[in-house]
């Protein structure tokens, strides 16, 4: 599907994977709505992308916030691209030194990473279904489509480490719902794909000591470095433009397999 002329909604778009993705889509000709928390530097990010970018502050778990972002995107053009990057990655053993993990901590991770992602999908897909299909002639570029939804899972969904039970469960859920959603939306000509990043150089990692970051980079077989958010954005763009990518979770990890700890 062509990106030029589409409207896109990217969550968690004020930094990291989301910002790189919003930037790549804007550079490819899409009008982009950046959804992130009110305290995030979203206004500055949108301003840097030009007059076809807009920041909508909100929480992905709140229906009214997501609907406002979807409405903003449809005002800019036909909504055909949605990328879910919003998420958190706190650690915590099920039973730690202070006893069992508070259930509220587990619930918060599931609520944001999994329920929030689904909340965006259901509201955005409803808007996508109202658009006219594009394409339809011979060749890959002519495959009829209404839109593409790209979700962010994680290698933790498959190689979860000790202390990552909540995070791994949330990202495992994102991976698990990819195929049933792709099957459901097939009749609407909407594709659903998930990306499972490995260790990426995002704000979550930048607070770590340099020695820790170097150790993490060295653990990646090839290339032996942290993933760059641009690597993620390049894959998002390819997914949008390749009509045969559907219903799968793609590992983007330099061949890493996470150890138990």
């Amino acid at each position: 599907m062509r990106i030029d002329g589409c409207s896109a909604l990217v969550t968690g778009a004020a930094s990291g994977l989301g910002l790189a993705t919003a930037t790549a889509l804007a550079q490819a000709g899409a009008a982009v709505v950046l959804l992130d928390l009110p305290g995030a530097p979203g206004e500055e990010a949108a301003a840097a992308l030009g007059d076809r970018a807009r920041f909508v502050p909100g929480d992905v778990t709140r229906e009214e916030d997501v609907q406002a972002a979807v409405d903003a995107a449809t005002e800019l053009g036909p909504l055909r691209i949605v990328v879910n990057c919003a998420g958190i990655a706190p650690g915590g053993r099920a039973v730690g030194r202070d006893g069992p993990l508070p259930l509220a901590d587990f619930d918060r991770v599931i609520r944001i990473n999994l329920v929030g992602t689904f909340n965006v999908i259901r509201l955005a897909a409803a808007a996508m279904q109202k658009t006219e299909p594009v394409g339809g002639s011979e060749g890959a570029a002519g495959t009829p489509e209404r839109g593409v939804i790209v979700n962010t899972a994680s290698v933790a969904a498959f190689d979860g480490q000790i202390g990552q039970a909540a995070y791994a469960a949330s990202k495992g859920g994102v991976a698990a719902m990819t195929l049933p959603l792709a099957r459901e939306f097939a009749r609407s000509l909407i594709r659903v794909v998930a990306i499972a990043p490995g260790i990426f150089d995002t704000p979550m990692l930048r607070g770590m000591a340099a020695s820790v970051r170097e150790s993490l980079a060295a653990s990646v077989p090839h290339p032996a470095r942290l993933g760059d958010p641009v690597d993620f954005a390049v894959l998002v763009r390819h997914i949008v433009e390749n009509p045969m990518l559907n219903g799968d979770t793609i590992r983007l990890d330099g061949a890493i397999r996470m150890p138990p700890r």
Side-chain angles (χ1 to χ4, degrees), residues 133-200:
V134 292
S137 59
E138 293 183 2
T143 301
E145 296 190 82
R146 280 195 171 89
V148 183
I149 298 169
V150 182
N151 300 319
T152 304
S154 167
V155 296
F158 315 104
D159 313 334
Q161 296 181 294
I162 292 171
Q164 285 190 321
Y167 182 68
S170 69
K171 294 303 186 175
V174 171
M177 69 181 177
T178 299
L179 181 58
L181 287 172
R183 287 171 164 172
E184 176 183 345
F185 295 148
R187 67 179 62 186
S188 301
L189 307 180
I190 297 170
R191 292 184 285 120
V192 184
V193 177
I195 300 174
I199 305 173
F200 270 66

Side-chain angles (χ1 to χ4, degrees), residues 19 24 47 55 58 60 63 77 85 101 123 130-131 145 161 179 185-186 188 198 201-202 214 218 245:
L19 179 56
F55 172 58
V60 293
E63 180 171 357
C85 294
L101 181 76
L123 296 174
K130 298 176 183 177
T131 64
E145 296 190 82
Q161 296 181 294
L179 181 58
F185 295 148
S188 301
D201 190 12
T202 65
E214 290 170 4
L245 286 174

